Every structure is written in C-alpha cells, then in structure tokens.
Amino acid sequence: MTICRSLPFCLEISCSWVFPWLCFCAFYSSPVRADRILDLKFWSAEQSELALGGLWEFHAQKLLEPGQRQVGSELLLEISQPWRDFQPLARDEARPLERGSYVLFIKGLLPKAGGYAVRIASHQSMTRVVVAPKYAPERSRRTQTQSVFAVFPWMRTFLESQVRLAFSPGAVDEIWMIIVQRWQAAPDAVGAVPRLQLAEKIR
C-alpha cells in the first residue's frame, strides 16, 4: 500500500522536473523560430555555419529595399523552391513571375570583432543580398552577382558565382533583416539556401 500511495507523488515530481528539463534541452540545442524572427542566441557560430532554409516572407514581383517594407507579407515561401510552383503569385496568367524578394529577420547574434557573413550561391539567378538592422534601414549593406552575368547568364553555369556580405551586430538584442532579391530565375531552377557564418571563416 505504501508503494501505491507514493506512486502518484513520484509521477507528480517526475512531471514537474523531467518534462521542463527535456523542453529546455531541446530549446537550447537549436535555433528557435517565433513570430517570424529566427532567434540565434544558442547557435554556436564558432563550431558550424547555419543554413537559413525554410520559410521566408515573399514579396512577388518586387526587388524590396529595407526602407520599403512597411507591412510584412502574409505569404511565407520555401526559399529554395522553384518559381514554377509560384506562378499564380504573379496575379496575371500572361505575366510569369519575373522577380521576387525573400525576407528573414534574425536576432540573438553575439557581437564579434570580425562580424558575421551571409553567403549564397547564385548560379540559378541574378541575386542581390541586402542586410540591415530592422529599425535602422539606412545602415543597410548590399552586394550582388556581377553585372556581366545579367548580360551573359550562361556564364554562371561554369564560373564561380557566389554572393558574400559581411555585417556586424552591435548588441545581442538587435534585430537584423536579411533580404534576398532574385531575378532572371529559370522557372524550374532550385534556389540556393543562404548560409550564415563568422566572417573570419569565409575563404
């Protein structure tokens, strides 16, 4: 009888301690996405780069700039998915999807002396990357694939074509906006996934 009476108490203790601990371990081991902001405070930048795949805000037929984003898009799209799947977003059957901007917000980056860098392969399209603090778009930085690739797109297939952009957060609670603009994309091309790493690790 003693064992039976103590069983509910043991279960209560286990649930009150073990379950929260398991949740904490799961939370601590990987970045957390909430409210469309990727929280990276538990990401170990010294150990590995981070693939920024998954769902991003998508703005169809726009090459969006940080200061132009007054209202977020309700449309969330997988950044690597071919554009042929998105053709209805052009809202005009006679006008295919020609350009678009993906937007992702990140926070929780520890200030580093050399800063961080976003890099993305751009063999599949003309690509421009813009990075800016969410509340200070005038501090934006940008880079894009070489303009010669716009005139001769076939050159991207055998020449190295990557976009790299470094930036330096000033505080761990600062929210940063990453914008990936794409145009001249083949409808069936699979988009590259941006990767985030310490700038000093870029070769």
Side-chain angles (χ1 to χ4, degrees):
M1 296 297 295
T2 303
I3 296 178
C4 293
R5 290 177 180 176
S6 61
L7 183 59
F9 176 75
C10 293
L11 290 175
E12 182 179 354
I13 294 297
S14 298
C15 291
S16 62
W17 287 93
V18 175
F19 183 71
W21 172 252
L22 292 176
C23 291
F24 173 78
C25 290
F27 176 81
Y28 187 85
S29 61
S30 60
V32 177
R33 186 187 297 273
D35 298 329
R36 300 186 186 175
I37 299 177
L38 188 62
D39 192 342
L40 302 178
K41 60 185 175 184
F42 296 124
W43 168 52
S44 178
E46 289 79 10
Q47 296 182 7
S48 64
E49 65 179 12
L50 181 65
L52 299 175
L55 298 176
W56 289 49
E57 278 188 21
F58 185 72
H59 300 257
Q61 304 291 32
K62 294 180 180 179
L63 298 181
L64 194 73
E65 293 293 330
Q68 297 173 341
R69 187 192 173 279
Q70 298 178 353
V71 179
S73 171
E74 293 300 323
L75 187 60
L76 299 178
L77 296 182
E78 169 66 48
I79 192 169
S80 62
Q81 197 166 347
W83 274 12
R84 185 176 297 281
D85 300 338
F86 307 152
Q87 290 305 321
L89 301 178
R91 299 178 182 177
D92 184 353
E93 294 182 359
R95 182 189 178 196
L97 188 58
E98 299 171 343
R99 62 190 63 192
S101 298
Y102 300 83
V103 181
L104 179 69
F105 291 99
I106 59 175
K107 69 175 183 178
L109 292 175
L110 296 174
K112 300 288 184 179
Y116 297 83
V118 177
R119 66 179 180 87
I120 182 173
S122 56
H123 305 292
Q124 303 87 350
S125 67
M126 285 296 292
T127 304
R128 181 184 297 122
V129 176
V130 184
V131 177
K134 180 178 180 180
Y135 300 109
E138 68 278 2
R139 290 168 51 196
S140 66
R141 298 174 58 87
R142 68 193 58 233
T143 188
Q144 70 177 55
T145 44
Q146 300 179 32
S147 57
V148 67
F149 293 148
V151 182
F152 305 106
W154 52 270
M155 295 181 62
R156 297 196 299 259
T157 61
F158 64 90
L159 293 180
E160 180 182 5
S161 179
Q162 285 207 3
V163 174
R164 302 177 180 89
L165 180 61
F167 65 101
S168 299
V172 70
D173 59 345
E174 195 170 33
I175 299 176
W176 283 76
M177 173 192 301
I178 300 176
I179 300 176
V180 176
Q181 303 173 354
R182 284 179 176 156
W183 65 101
Q184 284 193 359
D188 296 315
V190 176
V193 173
R195 297 181 179 276
L196 182 67
Q197 61 187 134
L198 291 176
E200 64 187 24
K201 294 183 177 294
I202 292 285
R203 296 180 180 180

